[in-house]
Amino acid sequence: MKIIICKNYDEMSQTAAEIVAKQINSNPHTVLGLATGSTPVGMYKNLVKMNKEGKVDFSNVVTFNLDEYVGLDKDHPCSYHRFMDENLFNHINIKRENIHLPNGTAPSLEEECKTYEKMIAHAGGIDLQVLGIGHNGHIGFNEPGTPFHSLTHVVELAQRTIEANSRFFNSPDEVPRKAISMGIKTIMQARKILLLASGKDKAEIISKALHGPITTDVPASVLQLHPNVTVILDEDAASALDR
Ligand code: F6R
């Protein structure tokens, strides 16, 4: 595991964007796995800027997002589809047909999960997966207890996740209780992984995930078993690590 510690959120975002751009420049047909949430927003801003400056070209890039809420239409203001459009896709030269997120309003959610796995396989697998981390160690929406062999599946969100994500909704009651998420195995099959975290509130879980026991109680601890993980932290998120 390679751990890069940056001064602050901006430096973390810039460093992450450079790694993603380097990956795309070395393989223009890169299959990217993407995350939503607050953490990657700065990285996306940097990628948009680099795209506008001609430093990275998304015309042949294919993307798969980690997750989507069940029951939210893709145009719902709080859907992850909408989040990705607003933070990245609407501002770069990616082809619409190359963008993939699970469909949280599919008539059969089980079928949708299977189809999503097939689409990832058909694209050749994920070259670089970007991850954030939840306060309980979740990656994607794989909450504590999720088996390491899980593929894309329907998940019940943990109470803590509902509360954390309620900041994007009018009230916690509006946060969907379920989501479709890539599984832990899906994530672990990515050839490279980039885990981002910033802020003091992530320090404890980052320390557990990177240096604690590998256990389903801390889903992100599974990353210790992956051969190619880069972790980019700001000083605050790194503050509980033994350095
Ligand atoms: C988002 C996702 C989640 C977030 C995590 C951290 O697609 O899969 O695992 O990465 O909840 O969220 P933030 O960045 O908002 O702290």
Side-chain angles (χ1 to χ4, degrees), residues 34-40 65-67 80 131-135 138-142 161 164-165 167-168 181 196 198 201-202:
L34 297 176
T36 56
S38 306
T39 311
N65 262 79
L66 281 166
D67 38 26
Y80 284 168
L131 296 176
I133 183 169
H135 296 104
H138 73 214
I139 47 176
F141 272 135
N142 295 291
T161 305
N165 290 8
R167 68 193 192 278
F168 298 111
S181 176
L196 309 181
S198 80
D201 57 316
K202 296 283 173 74

Side-chain angles (χ1 to χ4, degrees), residues 23 27 31 120 123-129 186-193 226-229:
Q23 165 67 37
N27 173 13
V31 179
I120 294 172
I126 293 170
D127 293 305
L128 176 65
Q129 175 67 55
T186 323
I187 293 170
M188 289 292 281
Q189 281 170 342
R191 287 182 265 281
K192 295 180 198 161
I193 291 181
H226 192 284
N228 195 333
V229 179

